[in-house]
Structures are given as C-alpha cells and as structure tokens.
Amino acid sequence: GFTSIVDTIGGINVEVTQAEADYINSTSSHNVSSGKSVWLNGEQALYFARIRKLDGEAQRTERQRRLITACLDGISGSSLNELTVVMESLYPFIETDYSEFELLTLGAEAMAGEWFDFEIISQTAPSEENRRGYNSYKTHTGNLSVWIVDYIKAAYELQISIYGQSNVIL
C-alpha cells in the first residue's frame, strides 16, 4: 500500500545521502541520485525505506521517519478532492472500525482545522548517548544485535523530551 500512496500523491521529495543512493543503485534496478530534496516514486521510496545492510537499525528507522514526514508534506497543501483520492487509495490498506466516509470526514476536519500545521519532532530512543554498546547473538535466522542501554538515563531523557520534566532522579 505504501507505494500506491506515494504514487497517488505524485511522489515525494526526501533527503538522500550519497551512501544511500550508492546502495540503492548498486543493489537494485533503481537509479536514485543524492541530495537534500530527491524526488522518489513509490517503488524507489519503498526500497529506500527497506535499506538494512548499509548501517544500523536506528538509521533505517530514521529513513522511514523521513519518508513519513515527506508523505505528510506531500498532502499538507492538498485540496479536499486530492485528499479524497489519497484516502481512497489508502483505505484498502487500513484496518479500522471507521468507515471510509468517517475517515474522509476526519480528513476534511483536519484540513479545515489546519491540523497539518504542526512541527514534527523525531528522535530515537534510547539516544546514542544512552547506549553502552551492543551484544550479538546467533539465532536460527542469523545474527541478532541488542543494544545495552542505560535505562535510567534513557527514561529520564524520554520524559524530558515529551513532558519537559521527569520524575527520574539521576
């Protein structure tokens, strides 16, 4: 469904590093350039989201957050008719108790209420500062890496970022 959504909004612009572009170009049939604002179609965006072996899990999820932000940017200036087309292409991939009409109504309310005028803040928890390294384990499906985390500091940091205060005493 992701490729359909990206294609329905006419593609997305996302920052692509040289390493990410080189990886995509050397491991797929896609030809992607690097830069601050690179246009990707649905297939290219999906491949970008699935990059695993270039770096770590934190970087992969950061790429996915960039894509989601780009999708929101892509629909933020949409008309009600354009949003309806996006919702109709998205609805088959959603499992919810809301009807398609109810979701369209919420979308119209979001546009009228300027719900898209917000700052998106993205972070990885725990931060690199609160990871003490990792342990690797062999499993039946391959290698598994697990972060060793300073949970007290990580909890403090997460509470500060969300609430501006913490009940954790360092």
Side-chain angles (χ1 to χ4, degrees):
F2 178 76
T3 58
S4 173
I5 294 162
V6 171
D7 288 338
T8 299
I9 63 174
I12 56 174
N13 288 305
V14 67
E15 182 176 354
V16 178
T17 67
Q18 187 62 55
E20 292 163 341
D22 290 345
Y23 183 86
I24 291 170
N25 296 336
S26 67
T27 60
S28 76
S29 61
H30 300 293
N31 186 13
V32 173
S33 60
S34 64
K36 292 271 185 205
S37 183
V38 177
W39 180 86
L40 301 177
N41 65 29
E43 286 293 325
Q44 293 166 327
L46 183 61
Y47 201 89
F48 179 81
R50 290 182 171 168
I51 294 174
R52 282 190 167 273
K53 298 190 180 188
L54 176 64
D55 41 34
E57 179 66 13
Q59 292 81 10
R60 185 176 72 88
T61 59
E62 192 273 331
R63 276 189 287 278
Q64 293 171 353
R65 289 191 300 274
R66 284 190 297 190
L67 288 171
I68 291 168
T69 300
C71 286
L72 290 173
D73 289 344
I75 63 168
S76 66
S78 299
S79 69
L80 186 53
N81 287 340
E82 292 167 330
L83 186 61
T84 300
V85 170
V86 171
M87 284 300 301
E88 286 172 347
S89 72
L90 176 65
Y91 192 73
F93 305 103
I94 297 174
E95 188 172 320
T96 180
D97 291 339
Y98 286 108
S99 69
E100 187 172 354
F101 177 77
E102 289 170 318
L103 288 177
L104 288 170
T105 302
L106 285 172
E109 288 177 18
M111 289 182 66
E114 298 178 354
W115 293 3
F116 294 115
D117 282 346
F118 56 85
E119 179 185 4
I120 296 175
I121 298 171
S122 176
Q123 70 183 59
T124 300
S127 67
E128 282 191 53
E129 294 80 29
N130 293 320
R131 294 181 225 147
R132 298 183 195 154
Y134 64 94
N135 285 334
S136 290
Y137 304 95
K138 290 236 184 250
T139 69
H140 67 283
T141 59
N143 290 329
L144 172 70
S145 295
V146 179
W147 286 333
I148 302 169
V149 177
D150 184 330
Y151 288 105
I152 302 298
K153 286 184 181 176
Y156 175 83
E157 178 182 68
L158 184 60
Q159 286 180 348
I160 292 294
S161 72
I162 295 172
Y163 306 112
Q165 60 186 7
S166 176
N167 63 353
V168 175
I169 298 170
L170 297 179

